[in-house]
Amino acid sequence: MIKVIAPFSALLLWAATAWGQPLTLERCYEAARARSPLQAQAALDASAARLLDENFAARWLPQLSLAGQATYQSDAVSIPAFMPGMEPIEAPQFQYRLGLDAQQTLYDGGAVRYARALNLLTPQVNEAQRDVELRKLNETVNSLFFGVLLMERQAAILQEAQADLRQRRGALESAVRNGILLRSDLLLLDKQLLQLEQQQIQAASELVGLRRMLAAWTGLPEAESAALAMPAALPAVEPAPVYRRPEYRLIDLQLRQLDLRAQSLRVQQMPKAGLFLQAGAGQPNPYNFLNTNLSAYYLVGLRVSWAPWDWRVTARERELLGVQQRQAEIRREQLDQTLLAGRQRDLSLLGGIDSVLGRDDAIIRLQSEVVKLASAQVENGVRTVSDYTKEFQAMVQAQLQREVHVIQRMQAAVQLRTMEE
């Protein structure tokens, strides 16, 4: 099924890219989940559950077995004739028989019923466990997706800064020719241009690596080149979210498993009843030693068994299940605490970044004014080119830092939204 879906998904993505539509974060989530080898376990779990269920159902069918034996014994029963007209009876020393044993369960206390219920629950538990593992892929995709967006924005800022600085260098060349500025001032600008180019090369290298990793995790070759869509604005955060995470479903299913096991323990001490049949042929007849010829035999009966005493084994197993149930409840409480702490962390991070972003804009605006003044002062000989390059680099760093905060805010908002899912 996965082999069919993957090419179809890739075709859809290719068509979307061909029409200029960017690659979304949700699409990357879906592709990463579809690509995971864990998806193949669903069909295997279903097959295993079906086979086990058929085996459990077969316990209600008659259990048949063939048994035979041939023996030679040193002595055998011998009864001499003690009445007139009576022939002596001599059992053969070589004896053999072949028979059929059949058993039919009539009552097992519910053992098969609980075993089948537990077996049918197992694929659901495995599915929930698989969803827990697959959900971790979202964090990996988040890191790569937002890393690509950040590197692209920083690369664009560096490219724009290079263009501005080259333009500024061209304007200062005439001042150097007229003797107003020294040749060394242009060399400082060239040095700054090389530093910007170095930063841009590093950003481009990181961008290529992040895109390749995103393509490897999602299985989408287009992730290496397609434009990525910034997630849409998120709705306001609910004050009291209702978590629908797979971890809760997994814990609930594990508690159901433990409850079924506790119920199945009760049937272990219930009486068991069944019919049995033994039939065959042998020499001598095993049920009539006076008949020393090859003859048929059979035995039909009802067997009842009951083991009310097991030296508290069942009681201790029941106590153990109680401990395991409490452990599952503690895991749920721990998950509640972890999610609450994470939610408070993300809310605080969002609030802090919103305040920082406002100051980022103010810093960039003021620093841009400083750069303009420094540029004019250089032309008037009031400040040096070295002072200008320092202020220009400070403006570029402020712009880069603002993009870091923008991406951090969006990633924290996405994390906060997906925390409930």
Side-chain angles (χ1 to χ4, degrees):
M1 184 66 178
I2 297 173
K3 294 181 179 179
V4 176
I5 293 175
F8 182 69
S9 301
L11 180 61
L12 289 178
L13 180 62
W14 175 84
T17 306
W19 285 95
Q21 296 182 4
L23 185 61
T24 64
L25 181 60
E26 288 74 15
R27 179 70 187 90
C28 291
Y29 287 158
E30 295 172 1
R33 291 174 66 92
R35 181 174 174 79
S36 174
L38 293 175
Q39 294 289 5
Q41 290 184 353
L44 297 177
D45 290 340
S47 297
R50 177 181 56 80
L51 294 172
L52 285 174
D53 188 68
E54 291 176 358
N55 282 346
F56 288 133
R59 294 184 182 180
W60 284 106
L61 300 176
Q63 307 300 309
L64 306 176
S65 63
L66 286 173
Q69 69 176 28
T71 61
Y72 181 85
Q73 55 197 56
S74 61
D75 294 301
V77 176
S78 178
I79 302 176
F82 55 86
M83 293 179 59
M86 176 181 178
E87 296 182 0
I89 299 174
E90 248 180 75
Q93 290 179 278
F94 178 73
Q95 302 182 2
Y96 58 91
R97 64 183 175 187
L98 177 66
L100 171 70
D101 289 344
Q103 299 185 35
Q104 172 64 59
T105 301
L106 296 179
Y107 178 74
D108 67 349
V112 171
R113 182 176 74 254
Y114 286 114
R116 296 183 72 176
L118 278 170
N119 177 59
L120 293 177
L121 190 60
T122 299
Q124 300 180 45
V125 175
N126 293 340
E127 180 185 8
Q129 182 65 56
R130 188 165 54 252
D131 289 341
V132 171
E133 296 299 324
L134 288 174
R135 192 185 183 281
K136 296 178 183 178
L137 290 175
N138 291 359
E139 300 176 5
T140 301
V141 171
N142 282 344
S143 177
L144 297 174
F145 191 93
F146 288 107
V148 169
L149 289 176
L150 177 60
M151 287 298 103
E152 287 182 339
R153 288 194 169 201
Q154 290 189 340
I157 290 174
L158 292 170
Q159 185 175 6
E160 184 179 353
Q162 279 184 300
D164 291 342
L165 200 58
R166 285 195 183 97
Q167 184 179 5
R168 184 58 189 159
R169 185 187 185 283
L172 294 181
E173 282 182 346
S174 61
V176 173
R177 287 194 299 267
N178 295 331
I180 300 176
L181 294 177
L182 300 175
R183 180 68 181 173
S184 59
D185 292 329
L186 287 182
L187 294 178
L188 286 175
L189 291 180
D190 291 338
K191 174 186 174 183
Q192 184 65 46
L193 282 170
L194 287 175
Q195 289 177 338
L196 288 174
E197 184 178 356
Q198 185 182 45
Q199 289 179 273
Q200 194 171 18
I201 291 174
Q202 291 177 343
S205 177
E206 290 185 29
L207 177 59
V208 170
L210 288 170
R211 279 190 171 275
R212 287 178 177 175
M213 291 177 64
L214 183 61
W217 277 99
T218 60
L220 302 174
E222 293 80 0
E224 295 191 23
S225 57
L228 303 187
M230 176 68 77
L234 301 176
V237 178
E238 295 293 333
V242 178
Y243 294 113
R244 297 177 295 274
R245 293 169 62 102
E247 290 92 334
Y248 285 104
R249 180 169 178 263
L250 175 60
I251 293 174
D252 290 339
L253 289 172
Q254 289 173 339
L255 286 172
R256 285 178 57 189
Q257 271 188 325
L258 293 172
D259 183 61
L260 279 175
R261 289 174 182 170
Q263 295 180 47
S264 66
L265 284 178
R266 301 190 186 100
V267 308
Q268 291 185 7
Q269 293 181 308
M270 297 289 289
K272 310 293 189 299
L275 294 174
F276 68 92
L277 165 68
Q278 294 178 350
Q283 181 184 10
N285 190 312
Y287 300 141
N288 182 7
F289 71 94
L290 297 178
N291 186 355
T292 60
N293 298 320
L294 178 62
S295 59
Y297 64 88
Y298 69 89
L299 175 68
V300 179
L302 173 68
R303 181 181 291 114
V304 178
S305 62
W306 185 32
W309 299 283
D310 61 356
W311 306 103
R312 287 187 50 81
V313 171
T314 302
R316 284 189 290 270
E317 289 181 354
R318 190 175 293 111
E319 291 179 10
L320 176 60
L321 289 175
V323 171
Q324 292 174 342
Q325 287 176 337
R326 180 54 187 156
Q327 289 174 335
E329 293 169 355
I330 290 175
R331 288 198 299 272
R332 182 158 52 192
E333 294 171 2
Q334 178 64 31
L335 181 59
D336 289 338
Q337 184 178 0
T338 301
L339 292 178
L340 178 61
R343 187 170 187 271
Q344 295 302 323
R345 176 203 61 210
D346 290 336
L347 286 174
S348 299
L349 181 60
L350 283 174
I353 291 179
D354 286 339
S355 300
V356 169
L357 280 174
R359 287 164 176 79
D360 281 337
D361 293 333
I363 290 172
I364 292 173
R365 184 172 61 254
L366 293 174
Q367 189 63 32
S368 298
E369 293 296 326
V370 170
V371 170
K372 290 179 182 178
L373 291 174
S375 176
Q377 290 170 346
V378 168
E379 293 178 357
N380 296 327
V382 179
R383 299 188 69 174
T384 65
V385 174
S386 177
D387 294 333
Y388 170 78
T389 57
K390 290 179 181 178
E391 299 298 345
F392 185 83
Q393 180 64 22
M395 182 186 67
V396 173
Q397 290 301 320
Q399 292 173 337
L400 294 175
Q401 190 62 34
R402 182 186 183 279
E403 294 307 319
V404 171
H405 293 153
V406 169
I407 298 301
Q408 284 180 341
R409 188 196 183 285
M410 181 56 66
Q411 189 168 357
V414 169
Q415 178 67 25
L416 188 61
R417 179 186 63 183
T418 57
M419 185 181 295
E420 303 175 16
E421 299 175 352

